[in-house]
Amino acid sequence: HYALATTLSQILEVFNFHLQFKMSQGGLVQMWHRLAEILWQWYDQIAEDIQKAGVLHGDETGWRVNGKTHWLWCFTSKTATLFTIERSRAGPVVLEFIQECFSGVFVSDFWHAYNVLTCAKQKCLAHLLRDLKRVQQYKDTRGDWSRFSKKLKRLIRDGIRLIKRLRRHEHEVFTFLEYRDVPYDNNFAERNIRGAVIMRKNSFNNRSEKGASTQSVLMSVFFTIKQRGLNPVDTVKTALRIYLETGHLPAVKEFTASNG
């Protein structure tokens, strides 16, 4: 469910029909909550790992929890991905996970919530170019003044908005020229959040705050382990065996250090 975006109903069908192993929706969800509680240590470790990244990418997208608007945030580097589902799309969420001591480069689009960061930043030029293209397309050669006037006003407003954006982010547009590993777009974060977007479409988001918390933890764990070249399911199973035998969950880096 959390690694491949398989729906809950599909998983239950495999258990109940194909494997003849009776499983209820409530029982499965409760096991996921329990798994998230155990793996919360890994979630904290992933949060520490992204803080140490030389280049960190951020993106966010809409999410629903019990029918109410929330936001799925994604903070991702080459070796770790952290998801969190929050009620807010504002700067305090960013500061909760990206500490003031962060010394890397943060790559994002132009969403104002990221302006609270004081580190070196790179804004997505691909977003800027798309905005420029949209500004350039408002033309009317058929002499229809009413439509032309409307489009011209929109063109002027968009032009002003773009100029303000460039002035506001004048030190965050060409950062990629100073750092070899920094891209000029935030495609990396958008690609990594896409798997969660597919899951959102299949699972219809979350029905409770607890479900959202479990979603954040398990997606972060499974995505990060996969990024480090390991099978997420096998890795978690091995860690759980150790946990059941010793009462201690080994650090995630003990499994992924050689691959990370």
Side-chain angles (χ1 to χ4, degrees):
H1 182 66
Y2 296 101
L4 301 175
T6 307
T7 67
L8 182 58
S9 60
Q10 289 171 334
I11 295 172
L12 290 174
E13 185 174 359
V14 170
F15 275 111
N16 295 333
F17 180 75
H18 296 287
L19 300 180
Q20 295 294 302
F21 185 90
K22 295 301 179 182
M23 177 73 67
S24 68
Q25 176 175 322
L28 190 58
V29 170
Q30 287 303 314
M31 283 190 285
W32 286 341
H33 289 331
R34 175 57 178 151
L35 179 61
E37 292 174 3
I38 296 173
L39 296 181
W40 190 272
Q41 296 177 45
W42 283 11
Y43 187 70
D44 285 340
Q45 291 163 22
I46 292 170
E48 294 177 2
D49 287 346
I50 66 168
Q51 185 68 28
K52 301 173 185 176
V55 181
L56 185 62
H57 306 251
D59 199 15
E60 76 294 326
T61 186
W63 198 268
R64 306 284 283 181
V65 178
N66 197 24
K68 297 181 180 179
T69 299
H70 283 59
W71 299 94
L72 172 70
W73 294 77
C74 174
F75 302 107
T76 180
S77 68
K78 288 184 177 180
T79 60
T81 296
L82 184 133
F83 292 100
T84 182
I85 299 172
E86 306 285 345
R87 296 183 180 181
S88 171
R89 199 188 178 193
V93 176
V94 179
L95 292 178
E96 182 180 351
F97 292 93
I98 314 301
Q99 306 296 321
E100 290 186 4
C101 60
F102 178 69
S103 59
V105 178
F106 190 82
V107 184
S108 71
D109 58 19
F110 290 88
W111 180 240
H112 64 81
Y114 301 114
N115 295 344
V116 298
L117 295 175
T118 58
C119 61
K121 287 174 277 187
Q122 173 64 50
K123 295 302 182 183
C124 179
L125 294 187
H127 277 77
L128 189 62
L129 291 173
R130 285 198 293 269
D131 287 345
L132 287 169
K133 184 178 180 180
R134 187 165 59 249
V135 168
Q136 293 170 355
Q137 71 183 8
Y138 302 120
K139 299 178 181 179
D140 191 336
T141 59
R142 293 174 294 177
D144 188 336
W145 170 251
S146 178
R147 294 179 62 188
F148 172 77
S149 176
K150 182 178 179 180
K151 291 183 178 182
L152 179 60
K153 291 177 182 177
R154 185 173 180 181
L155 171 65
I156 293 173
R157 284 195 295 266
D158 284 351
I160 293 173
R161 178 176 56 82
L162 285 171
I163 292 172
K164 288 182 177 179
R165 171 175 286 187
L166 287 171
R167 286 178 175 172
R168 186 183 306 118
H169 301 286
E170 60 181 318
H171 300 298
E172 303 167 0
V173 176
F174 296 109
T175 306
F176 72 97
L177 296 175
E178 302 177 36
Y179 299 87
R180 183 180 298 273
D181 295 329
V182 174
Y184 60 82
D185 56 40
N186 73 326
N187 289 348
F188 184 81
E190 290 185 339
R191 286 196 302 269
N192 279 10
I193 205 172
R194 192 171 298 151
V197 171
I198 294 173
M199 184 178 295
R200 177 184 65 190
K201 180 179 179 181
N202 292 341
S203 64
F204 305 107
N205 304 271
N206 301 111
R207 297 181 181 179
S208 66
E209 295 288 347
K210 185 174 183 180
S213 175
T214 294
Q215 186 93 33
S216 301
V217 173
L218 296 185
M219 281 199 307
S220 300
V221 168
F222 280 100
F223 275 63
T224 296
I225 293 174
K226 188 175 181 180
Q227 275 183 278
R228 299 181 182 183
L230 297 175
N231 183 302
V233 175
D234 290 344
T235 303
V236 169
K237 285 167 61 178
T238 301
L240 289 178
R241 290 193 188 100
I242 297 174
Y243 175 79
L244 291 173
E245 292 173 359
T246 66
H248 171 72
L249 185 71
V252 64
K253 65 181 180 180
E254 295 182 26
F255 296 92
T256 63
S258 59
N259 296 68

